[in-house]
Amino acid sequence: MKVRRRIDVSGMVQGVGFRPFVYRLATRHGLTGKVMNTTLGVTIEVQGPQSAIQEFEKNLPAERPPLSMITTLASAPLPCAEESAFRIVASANSAAVRTLISPDIATCDDCLREMLDPGDRRYRYAFTNCTNCGPRFTIIRSLPYDRPGTSMAGFTMCAKCQAEYDDPLDRRFHAQPNACPECGPRLELVDAGGTSTAGDPLEKAIDLLKAGAVMAIKGLGGFHLVVDAMNTDAVSELRRRKRRVEKPFAVMVPDVATAETLAVFDRVAREALVSRSRPIVLAEKRHENSFGDSVAPRNRRLGLFLPYTPLHHLLFQIGKFTALVMTSANLSEEPIVIGNEEALRRLPEIADCFLMHDREILLRCDDSVVRSAGGSLQFVRRSRGFVPAPVFLRDPAPPVLAVGGELKNTICLTKENCAFLSQHIGDLENAEANGFFAEATGHLQKIIKVTPAAIAHDLHPDYFSTRWAQQQTAVPCIGVQHHHAHVASCMAENRIDGPVIGLVLDGTGYGTDGRMWGGEILVADFNDFERAGQLRYVRMPGGEAAVRQPWRMAASYLWQHFGDEFLRTCALFPELPENRMEPLLQMLRRGLNSPWTSGCGRLFDAVSALIGICRKINYEAQAAIELEACVETHGLCLPYAFEIREEEGRLVIDTKPMFLSLMADLRRGVSRGEMSRKFHMGLAVVFTEAILRVRQEHGLNRVCLSGGSFQNAVLLREMRTRLSEQEFEVFTHSQVPAGDGGLCLGQAAIAASRLRGKMS
Ligand code: ZN
Ligand code: ZN
Ligand code: FE
């Protein structure tokens, strides 16, 4: 006996080859019926024997296409119909508004094979793609996701491409960016003056790279600046021109085997490296590494990634490069360049020539950065290849726009049980990034089709994002404390509810007392928090200058603990000749331009400077990163002691005993690696002790670790181990960054909870 059922599928099911897949699956099971795109996703009707339909329903989620994602599946009986075949029904134009958009995906193996086959019509074609791979997010202008709404609109498909596009059984059925050398985008090599050069652009570009040129190459989410990584002169030239003194460069290598000769990958890191998202993977350098010092100086890790566009593959296949430095094309922290004219305008002093093409990038999207920490994946930056896939929330949320912090900004928009985080927007101190912020915010609302009921922002009155939020007068604003947002972000992605103990360690965040926080133990739920513990406040002499010059933090700590006379006579600060010592002491004594901070990042800075690792920084968190990089891992270790005091019902962690021991070690000539290790261990010991006390008082057993300092693998591992030994349930970040790149998720979760409270 025949039965008929209707199955509604939602999630990421459009533009990813879902309907052809359903067609093949239904045909395989001998079913008739139809499949179509709807506003909610995909609707399937299948008719046939009961058992075949059961099999079909079982295999549907199990065998779904690689890029698809199913969020809900609902099935209901229907009366049988007269029909003899299975059909794909064309969608009405209004369709496809509530479906999820796929991130940009690395070239698939099938496409790669075609590109490398001299007999194929796409041989060496740099814009080969199919429904399983290629650009998505970065070429979408408007919804529905159809060719006219993408930057492929201007390219009319040739007869062969059109036939593929129309054939439900073809891999390119409804592949919106489908193209070939006949009808699609083309490469062009342009010199710094904007003149197109003759000859094969790809071969010419390869010759120039081999000769040591700095080249701007148009990629998926923006331009890269590219040099041959084996050519040390070219690498230093790029550093000089980009004014990037020491910050590591990412390096693209042709395959996993090459990556493994340069760095050590565990299973998690290797999987990330070859994944379809193709992020930059940070991994520990190998000693014999021949170029690590120019590419990533004084860093224990190297950022490596594999080719993810056809053009990348061709560069390596034809050019036989071992490794190419590929860094975002921008000046310092400005947004990445995406337009051809923009590139010529913004990069003439940096790039010798430009390898570009006529497929427009509509949305900037930097490379994502991940690493493996203790067997799980961690995001340093979640962007290309992941955005705009949502983070799934436990409960449906009212629509909220959360605008993030100031540095490493991202924004978040909630819709039902999804939180959509934007691509990496960057540092909003930068005027160029402000425009990008507005652009990304507008675009995300457009493609998610959500009008927020509230805007969540940081409490810092001077953040660009805060001021922007407060200007949107049509929507109520909800201010969220920075470290509360960090804890909530960790809770949200782990789908847990409060109250929890949150240990938030980062550089800085505006506190409810107007001071800079950043070494905090909070007892928090989604509505509110209590500050249960903190690092003792210390002055930041010179304000922002103290962030750029870690020696100032070292001086401040020593002054706090040991006083004027000590600082005058210790001779530890060559930066402070006789005539500048007194003004600094005045500053500290009177608190002039010396805000209070409890930031853990500032403590790292002080220790890093004091033991002679990094006294001035060239990029954010450099002092802490280099301090971690030198941790000695062998032998016994006696952690430095801290002291926990109770003040006004709150635990205050004092660093005086730690600095006493550190000074003694300095005098004894103990190695930096050992001092760094004792410091890391000491911090983990004291925070564990403090959290034990909070457990005693509040009876809470779940701990969320969040904040930028948890990008420090040693600290994360030590905290996790020690807390687990004490039988705490420990939660960390694995879907969004622990640092400020994940802040917006927590802001959104808190605002959503407060809105819900108001409504009920
Ligand atoms: Zn493909
Ligand atoms: Zn074509
Ligand atoms: Fe933070």
Short mmCIF file of all heavy atoms in Angstrom, two decimals, residues 121-122 125 147 156-162 164 178-184, ligand 2:
data_model
loop_
_atom_site.label_atom_id
_atom_site.label_comp_id
_atom_site.label_asym_id
_atom_site.label_seq_id
_atom_site.Cartn_x
_atom_site.Cartn_y
_atom_site.Cartn_z
N ARG A 121 37.08 21.54 -19.82
CA ARG A 121 36.86 22.91 -20.30
C ARG A 121 37.16 23.95 -19.23
O ARG A 121 37.23 25.15 -19.51
CB ARG A 121 35.45 23.07 -20.87
CG ARG A 121 34.32 23.06 -19.86
CD ARG A 121 32.97 23.00 -20.58
NE ARG A 121 31.88 23.25 -19.65
CZ ARG A 121 31.37 24.46 -19.42
NH1 ARG A 121 31.82 25.49 -20.06
NH2 ARG A 121 30.38 24.60 -18.56
N ARG A 122 37.34 23.52 -18.01
CA ARG A 122 37.71 24.47 -16.96
C ARG A 122 39.19 24.33 -16.57
O ARG A 122 39.59 24.75 -15.49
CB ARG A 122 36.81 24.27 -15.73
CG ARG A 122 35.39 24.75 -15.96
CD ARG A 122 34.61 24.81 -14.66
NE ARG A 122 33.28 25.38 -14.86
CZ ARG A 122 32.23 24.69 -15.29
NH1 ARG A 122 32.35 23.40 -15.56
NH2 ARG A 122 31.08 25.29 -15.46
N TYR A 125 41.12 27.16 -14.85
CA TYR A 125 40.20 28.28 -14.73
C TYR A 125 40.06 28.70 -13.26
O TYR A 125 39.65 27.91 -12.40
CB TYR A 125 38.83 27.93 -15.32
CG TYR A 125 37.88 29.11 -15.26
CD1 TYR A 125 38.26 30.35 -15.77
CD2 TYR A 125 36.63 28.99 -14.68
CE1 TYR A 125 37.41 31.44 -15.70
CE2 TYR A 125 35.76 30.08 -14.61
CZ TYR A 125 36.17 31.31 -15.12
OH TYR A 125 35.33 32.39 -15.04
N ARG A 147 21.21 34.17 -8.70
CA ARG A 147 22.27 34.88 -9.42
C ARG A 147 22.07 36.40 -9.52
O ARG A 147 23.02 37.15 -9.30
CB ARG A 147 22.43 34.27 -10.81
CG ARG A 147 23.70 34.72 -11.53
CD ARG A 147 24.23 33.59 -12.36
NE ARG A 147 25.22 33.99 -13.31
CZ ARG A 147 26.34 33.29 -13.51
NH1 ARG A 147 26.54 32.18 -12.82
NH2 ARG A 147 27.20 33.66 -14.41
N THR A 156 26.64 36.59 -17.99
CA THR A 156 25.59 35.74 -18.54
C THR A 156 26.19 34.37 -18.86
O THR A 156 27.22 34.29 -19.52
CB THR A 156 25.01 36.36 -19.82
OG1 THR A 156 24.69 37.72 -19.51
CG2 THR A 156 23.77 35.62 -20.28
N MET A 157 25.55 33.34 -18.36
CA MET A 157 26.10 32.00 -18.56
C MET A 157 26.07 31.60 -20.04
O MET A 157 25.10 31.87 -20.74
CB MET A 157 25.31 30.97 -17.75
CG MET A 157 25.76 30.88 -16.30
SD MET A 157 24.90 29.58 -15.41
CE MET A 157 23.49 30.51 -14.83
N CYS A 158 27.13 30.93 -20.49
CA CYS A 158 27.15 30.39 -21.85
C CYS A 158 26.23 29.15 -21.87
O CYS A 158 25.76 28.70 -20.83
CB CYS A 158 28.57 30.01 -22.25
SG CYS A 158 29.23 28.62 -21.31
N ALA A 159 25.98 28.63 -23.06
CA ALA A 159 25.04 27.52 -23.20
C ALA A 159 25.45 26.32 -22.34
O ALA A 159 24.61 25.69 -21.68
CB ALA A 159 24.92 27.12 -24.67
N LYS A 160 26.75 26.02 -22.32
CA LYS A 160 27.20 24.86 -21.54
C LYS A 160 26.98 25.06 -20.04
O LYS A 160 26.54 24.16 -19.33
CB LYS A 160 28.68 24.59 -21.82
CG LYS A 160 28.93 23.88 -23.14
CD LYS A 160 30.41 23.65 -23.33
CE LYS A 160 30.68 23.00 -24.68
NZ LYS A 160 32.08 23.18 -25.11
N CYS A 161 27.32 26.23 -19.55
CA CYS A 161 27.14 26.51 -18.12
C CYS A 161 25.65 26.51 -17.77
O CYS A 161 25.25 25.98 -16.73
CB CYS A 161 27.77 27.85 -17.75
SG CYS A 161 29.57 27.80 -17.71
N GLN A 162 24.85 27.11 -18.65
CA GLN A 162 23.41 27.17 -18.41
C GLN A 162 22.82 25.75 -18.32
O GLN A 162 21.98 25.47 -17.47
CB GLN A 162 22.72 27.96 -19.53
CG GLN A 162 21.23 28.24 -19.26
CD GLN A 162 21.00 29.23 -18.12
OE1 GLN A 162 21.65 30.28 -18.06
NE2 GLN A 162 20.12 28.91 -17.20
N GLU A 164 24.33 23.04 -17.36
CA GLU A 164 24.70 22.48 -16.05
C GLU A 164 23.79 23.04 -14.96
O GLU A 164 23.29 22.32 -14.09
CB GLU A 164 26.15 22.85 -15.69
CG GLU A 164 27.21 22.25 -16.58
CD GLU A 164 28.59 22.92 -16.37
OE1 GLU A 164 28.66 24.06 -15.88
OE2 GLU A 164 29.58 22.27 -16.72
N ASN A 178 28.21 29.75 -10.87
CA ASN A 178 28.72 28.89 -11.95
C ASN A 178 29.30 29.73 -13.08
O ASN A 178 28.73 30.73 -13.48
CB ASN A 178 27.59 28.00 -12.48
CG ASN A 178 28.12 26.96 -13.46
OD1 ASN A 178 29.29 26.58 -13.37
ND2 ASN A 178 27.28 26.52 -14.37
N ALA A 179 30.45 29.30 -13.59
CA ALA A 179 31.13 30.06 -14.64
C ALA A 179 32.16 29.18 -15.33
O ALA A 179 32.51 28.12 -14.82
CB ALA A 179 31.81 31.27 -14.04
N CYS A 180 32.63 29.62 -16.48
CA CYS A 180 33.71 28.94 -17.18
C CYS A 180 34.55 29.98 -17.91
O CYS A 180 34.18 31.15 -17.93
CB CYS A 180 33.14 27.89 -18.12
SG CYS A 180 32.48 28.60 -19.64
N PRO A 181 35.65 29.57 -18.54
CA PRO A 181 36.50 30.56 -19.20
C PRO A 181 35.76 31.32 -20.30
O PRO A 181 36.13 32.45 -20.64
CB PRO A 181 37.63 29.71 -19.81
CG PRO A 181 37.62 28.43 -19.06
CD PRO A 181 36.22 28.21 -18.61
N GLU A 182 34.72 30.70 -20.88
CA GLU A 182 33.95 31.35 -21.94
C GLU A 182 33.15 32.53 -21.43
O GLU A 182 33.06 33.57 -22.06
CB GLU A 182 32.94 30.35 -22.54
CG GLU A 182 33.56 29.27 -23.38
CD GLU A 182 34.24 29.87 -24.61
OE1 GLU A 182 33.56 30.64 -25.32
OE2 GLU A 182 35.43 29.59 -24.81
N CYS A 183 32.50 32.33 -20.26
CA CYS A 183 31.47 33.29 -19.86
C CYS A 183 31.72 33.94 -18.51
O CYS A 183 30.99 34.85 -18.13
CB CYS A 183 30.12 32.58 -19.84
SG CYS A 183 30.01 31.28 -18.59
N GLY A 184 32.73 33.50 -17.78
CA GLY A 184 32.85 33.96 -16.40
C GLY A 184 33.91 35.03 -16.19
O GLY A 184 34.47 35.58 -17.14
ZN ZN B 2 30.31 29.19 -19.31
#
